[in-house]
Amino acid sequence: MGTVWSGPGSNATQLTDLTDMDGAAMGQLIADDQGMIPAFMGPDGSEVLYVDFGGGRVAITPIDIGTRLGAHLADRVSDPHGDRAYADASFIRLSEAGWLVTPNGRANGRGVWVPRSWGEFWRPRREAAKAGTGKANVAVIGGSTACGFYASNLITKSWPGVLTTNLQSVSGDGGSGYVSALISANGIAGNDTSAINQWTASGGLVAQTGTWAIGGYPVGPGWGYLYTSTNGSTMTWTVRGTSVTIYTLGGDGGRSAWSYSIDGGTDVAVTDPTTTGLTILKTTITGLTAGTHTVRVKHTGTSSQYLSVCGVSAETSSGVVVNNFGKKNANAAQYLPTGKAPWNGGASYPADLLIYGVSPQDVIDGVAVDTWASQVRQHLTNVRDGGSNLGATDVVFVLPHIGQADAQGARFQDFTDRTYALASTFEAAVVDFWNLGRNSWNFFNSLGYWGNPSAPGTAGADAVLLSDAGHSYMAGVLTALLNS
């Protein structure tokens, strides 16, 4: 006669919940005259039991392990570890965005490459924004296409602008984000007279009066800044949010007093402190009502003093906010000076997600691909590890459709290759619009995606810049990734 125990030690519990194979109760075991123990069933879930016939406890295991393992492998037991549910959810999330999931854990489709770990920082912030308990910050880096050339409105119809609308419709309106002072007639300048006239007429530019010029110091967020020494010169933004921050340049001791007004109200005088080092100064106005506001900045000093304005941002306490730091004709090196490195997704203006738009300007200017890759890596190092940053920023590389901008040297494929290498290093996603566009200017042209400098927004025959339809297409692909 033997007893059954839960373990081999002195603290084990004797088990009496035993039955024979027909289900009849048997509180203890009785061996036959050959010493054989009859078949029995123990408590539910038992894997190892210990029997004692007076000579010490001996471990026994059930004979149906193989049967249960077979049932598990054949999916007759419902995913006890949750791994299949995780795999299925990942597949559905990615396949619904139009991508294929490969055995190496990456999501791949035409022009799309997504590492398995991508989104580990962005997605929790996005969900908090959706729940109204936090804010998700997106920074956009890029050249003329990121600035919106040749959309009908640089702010709202550019691919960053359409992307903003798409993300905020799902995860909450975090405000209009950063708008550079150089999204203005003097800020754009160059050979875009027809486009500037249309953008001005449609309200797609920052409004200005007086005399303004592009500043020469490589500092601050976005493009840089405009400056004026003319008393009474103004710049006016239309923004959306419950708080507004005005970014100005101080630091050389000769800065003008200035004022701001909100929604046509009384001018509020500001005197920037005298500091050294051409510091970016922030003036923040809080407590605004939700919705759209007009922000005007005005030079109120003497003609010998300069007011330098980088831009204005507007935000709310929760939701998604997209800050467009794109620069007309940007190249990678322009984001690296000491005065700029911390600001464009770095420690001074951080992001949960950085969208790095590869600028065709580096290709057009003949920059060596090794030089370019080093510059991009330095930028991403500032984003991930600048200041006190702890690397908690997801990255998406956006490769533009190069169109006809690579006519000399045919080098863009080298930039593409290095982009994928950088993406592997930084666990970044890649969206390759050259590949999505079949590597064909003609294909995009057949869809009306190329821009028209003489009539922004409409289809034209530009070599590399987009129409409204082209910008909308780019935003749609990126929206699928960022909402996945």
Side-chain angles (χ1 to χ4, degrees):
M1 187 174 295
T3 53
V4 180
W5 299 81
S6 62
S10 59
N11 293 329
T13 302
Q14 183 178 350
L15 304 175
T16 58
D17 180 16
L18 311 176
T19 68
D20 62 21
M21 302 309 291
D22 294 323
M26 49 185 296
Q28 53 194 2
L29 302 181
I30 300 176
D32 62 17
D33 57 4
Q34 303 287 322
M36 300 297 294
I37 303 172
F40 72 97
M41 292 185 287
D44 292 343
S46 299
E47 293 293 339
V48 179
L49 298 177
Y50 293 82
V51 299
D52 189 347
F53 281 84
R57 297 176 188 174
V58 178
I60 60 173
T61 58
I63 61 172
D64 65 341
I65 286 179
T67 302
R68 288 188 285 132
L69 177 60
H72 177 72
L73 295 176
D75 202 23
R76 292 194 295 272
V77 176
S78 180
D79 194 19
H81 311 299
D83 51 355
R84 187 171 290 108
Y86 173 81
D88 288 347
S90 297
F91 177 82
I92 291 170
R93 167 171 51 79
L94 296 168
S95 62
E96 283 182 345
W99 306 325
L100 301 177
V101 181
T102 60
N104 65 7
R106 291 180 168 86
N108 293 306
R110 177 185 287 274
V112 177
W113 189 86
V114 186
R116 180 171 55 187
S117 65
W118 183 87
E120 61 182 312
F121 310 115
W122 159 249
R123 288 192 179 108
R125 299 296 297 173
R126 179 196 66 193
E127 294 308 301
K130 185 184 299 185
T133 58
K135 191 154 52 182
N137 293 284
V138 181
V140 174
I141 301 301
S144 297
T145 300
C147 292
F149 287 49
Y150 281 107
S152 58
N153 185 298
L154 294 180
I155 298 172
T156 62
K157 294 297 185 179
S158 62
W159 67 257
V162 179
L163 177 65
T164 299
T165 299
N166 294 346
L167 293 178
Q168 291 181 342
S169 68
V170 174
S171 301
D173 185 354
S176 53
Y178 182 80
V179 179
S180 171
L182 279 80
I183 303 289
S184 61
N186 283 105
I188 296 171
N191 300 317
D192 301 298
T193 303
S194 297
I196 290 172
N197 289 339
Q198 178 173 318
W199 288 327
T200 300
S202 65
L205 297 178
V206 175
Q208 58 184 62
T209 66
T211 304
W212 295 86
I214 298 175
Y217 296 112
V219 295
W223 291 14
Y225 59 94
L226 288 185
Y227 71 92
T228 183
S229 61
T230 304
N231 179 271
S233 292
T234 67
M235 296 196 76
T236 304
W237 287 256
T238 300
V239 298
R240 190 181 65 260
T242 55
S243 69
V244 165
T245 299
I246 303 168
Y247 295 81
T248 56
L249 174 63
D252 64 359
R255 295 298 164 185
S256 169
W258 58 280
S259 66
Y260 68 84
S261 66
I262 305 295
D263 298 330
T266 304
D267 284 344
V268 178
V270 179
T271 302
D272 286 336
T274 300
T275 59
T276 59
L278 296 170
T279 308
I280 298 298
L281 304 173
K282 298 193 297 183
T283 302
T284 300
I285 304 99
T286 60
L288 303 178
T289 58
T292 300
H293 299 281
T294 300
V295 180
R296 189 188 70 178
V297 173
K298 182 179 180 180
H299 183 296
T300 58
T302 66
S303 59
S304 63
Q305 296 176 320
Y306 292 94
L307 169 63
S308 299
V309 185
C310 297
V312 169
S313 67
E315 300 186 10
T316 61
S317 60
S318 64
V320 174
V321 60
V322 178
N323 298 301
N324 189 350
F325 300 128
K327 178 186 182 297
K328 177 188 174 184
N329 297 333
N331 59 48
Q334 291 174 352
Y335 288 101
L336 296 183
T338 303
K340 276 188 169 294
W343 284 97
N344 298 285
S348 297
Y349 211 141
D352 304 302
L353 172 70
L354 177 77
I355 303 177
Y356 194 103
V358 176
S359 175
Q361 198 65 40
D362 287 284
V363 184
I364 295 169
D365 290 345
V367 176
V369 70
D370 286 347
T371 300
W372 173 84
S374 173
Q375 292 165 347
V376 175
R377 182 270 164 98
Q378 291 175 63
H379 187 134
L380 295 182
T381 297
N382 271 288
V383 169
R384 286 281 181 87
D385 198 38
S388 60
N389 287 352
L390 300 177
T393 302
D394 280 304
V395 178
V396 179
F397 283 105
V398 174
L399 282 161
H401 193 316
I402 197 62
Q404 297 171 338
D406 193 19
Q408 296 182 353
R411 301 185 311 122
F412 189 59
Q413 71 283 349
D414 298 329
F415 286 77
T416 298
D417 290 344
R418 295 304 290 271
T419 296
Y420 279 94
L422 287 163
S424 178
T425 298
F426 287 94
E427 283 290 292
V430 178
V431 181
D432 183 350
F433 286 97
W434 191 34
N435 187 281
L436 284 163
R438 303 179 185 175
N439 312 103
S440 169
W441 181 93
N442 289 327
F443 175 61
F444 258 30
N445 188 52
S446 71
L447 299 172
Y449 286 174
W450 296 123
N452 184 346
S454 298
T458 65
D462 196 84
V464 70
L465 299 171
L466 301 173
S467 65
D468 277 357
H471 281 282
S472 180
Y473 171 70
M474 283 190 65
V477 175
L478 289 166
T479 298
L481 170 61
L482 302 191
N483 279 340
S484 69

